[in-house]
Amino acid sequence: MEMKHKMSAFKSEFLQVLQSRGFIHQLSDETGLDEQLAKEKTTAYIGFDATAQSLHAGSLVQIMLLYWFQQTGHRPLALMGGGTTMVGDPSGKDESRKMLTADDIEENKNGIKQVFSKFLDFDNDKAIMADNAEWLLELNYVEFLRDVGKHLSVNQMLARDSVKLRLEREQHLSFLEFNYMCLQAYDFAELAKRYDCRLQMGGSDQWGNIVSGVDLGRRMGTPSLFALTTPLLTTSSGAKMGKTADGAVWLSDSHLPAYDYWQYFRNSEDADVGRFMRLFTTLPLDEIARYEALEGAELNEAKKVLATETTAMVHGREVAEQAAETARRTFEEGQATDTLPTVSVSKTDFESGIGLLSLIVQAGLASSNGEARRHVKGGAIRINDEQISDERMNVSIEQLNDAGAVKLSMGKKKHFLIKPE
């Protein structure tokens, strides 16, 4: 199987789009996959384990793969890992994952499903949402070993970088995790049987697992299966995509306000603007090229476009434009608006006075009073745009502005409205 992608004149629209926008890292049987996609409507899947109640921006590349797959006339399948989440994927990990309960996994699945509805059209079987718990939790272990295990190569599993690294460092790799590779390979064979799924996609760290599924399907007599992976994405400075000092950049507004999501992409590094536009927006390539050529202050306008377009994909056009307008009024006009992220505090607490440090923690600007105190001493905290140096200050109802709120700011880019309820 071909391990690295070479520039080709693809016949299928899907691979043409992926190549032009920088999605392709590895392909198996490049010619065969291109012919399959050009010949007929095809089903492809990506698996998402339910390890949290939302996906974050680090999953955007995979979600956009499914989006473009549907836009070019094919049927995407988003596979929830209700079964595999109980095991834990060791790929790229130095240690075992925390084990989740069945209730945790179910709650996480429900949150993740809402993300996909923003990118994919599930009406009339145009896209599929499946869950590998349907077949994995019903497996008879001895039958699985006899019918499937005989086709899986332990030699290949031990050769995987993710496994070799753990073994070389003498870090614990449980038999439970080792079986994850078997289960993911079996998923592909099962989806091929149930939905005629012919292609599995994922990040390059999943190449070994995906290829195992291709090989297992061949040994079990399924039609030709294919693999496609994307480059693992980091920012130009090497930071992991979708992570900040404050935590994950979640795709659900219940976990991260749309305004903060907009700000994350607005603060992209200069060198990432064009690449992020190609990967995370649907802007035409010639328009992206014009933005990419901008320099200096003009590049800031391109970052605003990037932020608005990426936010529109996740939260809708109206919300994205509202976030852009809030940022403009906050930073360019110095105004606070009621579209800033809001933290509700009981009216009784407001009337008696709330400690500043407690308020900073409630707004999520610090994880403890000690951290909040350091922000105050460092001059980072402002109330209604006035810098605060007194860590013992109480915020009270007398400080409500004309909008009936108190504006709490940390630095130049984090602003909240504190409102009594």
Side-chain angles (χ1 to χ4, degrees):
M1 291 187 177
E2 184 176 337
M3 295 299 291
K4 293 289 182 181
H5 166 64
K6 301 181 178 66
M7 295 298 285
S8 303
F10 290 119
K11 294 181 290 185
S12 62
E13 183 183 0
F14 176 64
L15 291 182
Q16 289 176 18
V17 169
L18 261 56
Q19 179 173 266
S20 64
R21 301 184 85 94
F23 282 92
I24 302 176
H25 180 63
Q26 296 154 303
L27 286 172
S28 70
D29 188 6
E30 179 178 308
T31 301
L33 174 59
D34 191 32
E35 291 176 350
Q36 168 66 31
L37 296 172
K39 178 179 64 175
E40 61 187 6
K41 183 176 181 178
T42 302
T43 299
Y45 93 96
I46 300 177
F48 299 86
D49 278 348
T51 54
Q53 292 179 15
S54 172
L55 298 175
H56 58 70
S59 299
L60 271 179
V61 171
Q62 312 311 321
I63 295 172
M64 291 301 293
L65 278 178
L66 295 176
Y67 170 84
W68 285 116
F69 199 66
Q70 185 171 67
Q71 293 300 310
T72 53
H74 300 287
R75 185 173 68 162
L77 191 159
L79 180 66
M80 294 291 96
T84 44
T85 303
M86 293 186 175
V87 177
D89 181 9
S91 301
K93 306 292 188 300
D94 285 341
E95 57 186 22
S96 301
R97 279 181 171 174
K98 175 186 174 183
M99 298 299 290
L100 300 176
T101 67
D103 289 341
D104 290 336
I105 293 171
E106 191 63 30
E107 185 176 359
N108 291 348
K109 284 193 300 185
N110 291 334
I112 291 171
K113 287 176 182 177
Q114 296 176 20
V115 173
F116 287 105
S117 65
K118 302 172 183 178
F119 290 86
L120 303 176
D121 180 3
F122 289 93
D123 290 342
N124 301 316
D125 205 34
K126 293 176 184 174
I128 301 170
M129 179 77 72
D131 186 344
N132 61 20
E134 295 175 25
W135 52 87
L136 294 183
L137 299 188
E138 300 299 321
L139 283 177
N140 180 296
Y141 187 59
V142 174
E143 290 181 359
F144 180 78
L145 289 177
R146 182 190 64 193
D147 299 336
V148 179
K150 64 184 180 182
H151 298 305
L152 295 164
S153 170
V154 173
N155 305 67
Q156 291 179 358
M157 295 179 190
L158 290 173
R160 304 275 162 74
D161 288 341
S162 59
V163 174
K164 284 168 59 179
L165 186 61
R166 295 269 287 273
L167 295 177
E168 288 170 0
R169 293 179 177 178
E170 297 184 354
Q171 293 170 327
H172 179 68
L173 179 67
S174 71
F175 181 67
L176 185 71
E177 294 173 285
F178 200 67
N179 272 268
Y180 186 95
M181 301 175 229
C182 304
L183 298 180
Q184 184 172 338
Y186 182 70
D187 279 346
F188 201 176
E190 186 69 22
L191 290 171
K193 182 173 67 175
R194 291 182 178 225
Y195 300 103
D196 192 28
C197 182
R198 305 292 294 276
L199 169 64
Q200 183 182 173
M201 302 183 288
S204 60
D205 61 330
Q206 292 295 318
W207 176 255
N209 290 344
I210 297 174
V211 168
S212 288
V214 173
D215 186 57
L216 178 62
R218 178 180 59 82
R219 293 174 183 273
M220 295 180 67
T222 65
S224 297
L225 302 181
F226 304 96
L228 184 156
T229 64
T230 60
L232 287 183
L233 190 61
T234 59
T235 65
S236 293
S237 62
K240 191 172 183 179
M241 182 65 196
K243 298 284 188 179
T244 70
D246 298 323
V249 182
W250 299 107
L251 303 184
S252 299
D253 52 13
S254 60
H255 286 64
L256 184 76
Y259 176 80
D260 290 348
Y261 189 84
W262 189 95
Q263 282 290 343
Y264 174 75
F265 282 98
R266 166 62 181 86
N267 295 328
S268 295
E269 297 171 35
D270 292 358
D272 290 329
V273 172
R275 182 169 58 127
F276 286 0
M277 281 184 169
R278 284 188 289 273
L279 292 173
F280 303 136
T281 80
T282 60
L283 290 171
L285 293 174
D286 56 350
E287 185 176 344
I288 293 174
R290 290 197 297 272
Y291 285 124
E292 203 169 15
L294 298 176
E295 296 179 353
E298 289 185 330
L299 190 57
N300 287 328
E301 295 305 311
K303 291 181 181 181
K304 294 175 186 177
V305 173
L306 168 65
T308 301
E309 293 300 316
T310 52
T311 304
M313 293 292 293
V314 175
H315 297 286
R317 177 65 57 183
E318 182 178 351
V319 172
E321 292 179 351
Q322 187 179 69
E325 175 62 12
T326 297
R328 185 188 69 79
R329 295 181 64 181
T330 300
F331 298 119
E332 297 175 16
E333 298 180 7
Q335 299 179 22
T337 77
D338 58 7
T339 54
L340 284 174
T342 300
V343 176
S344 296
V345 176
S346 74
K347 187 174 181 181
T348 302
D349 289 345
F350 243 118
E351 290 173 345
S352 60
I354 310 168
L356 175 63
L357 300 184
S358 175
L359 196 60
I360 294 170
V361 173
Q362 287 185 57
L365 296 175
S367 59
S368 66
N369 283 355
E371 183 182 350
R373 185 177 292 107
R374 289 192 291 275
H375 290 321
V376 175
K377 289 183 176 179
I381 300 300
R382 297 190 307 282
I383 294 290
N384 293 333
D385 295 322
E386 292 187 11
Q387 185 174 331
I388 304 300
S389 58
D390 182 7
E391 66 187 58
R392 297 185 180 86
M393 172 184 176
N394 284 331
V395 179
S396 66
I397 206 159
E398 286 77 20
Q399 289 160 295
L400 294 177
N401 59 25
D402 293 340
V406 172
K407 182 183 177 186
L408 171 65
S409 306
M410 187 173 81
K412 295 181 178 180
K413 298 179 179 179
K414 292 187 177 182
H415 308 272
F416 288 84
L417 292 182
I418 312 299
K419 288 189 174 183
E421 61 177 8

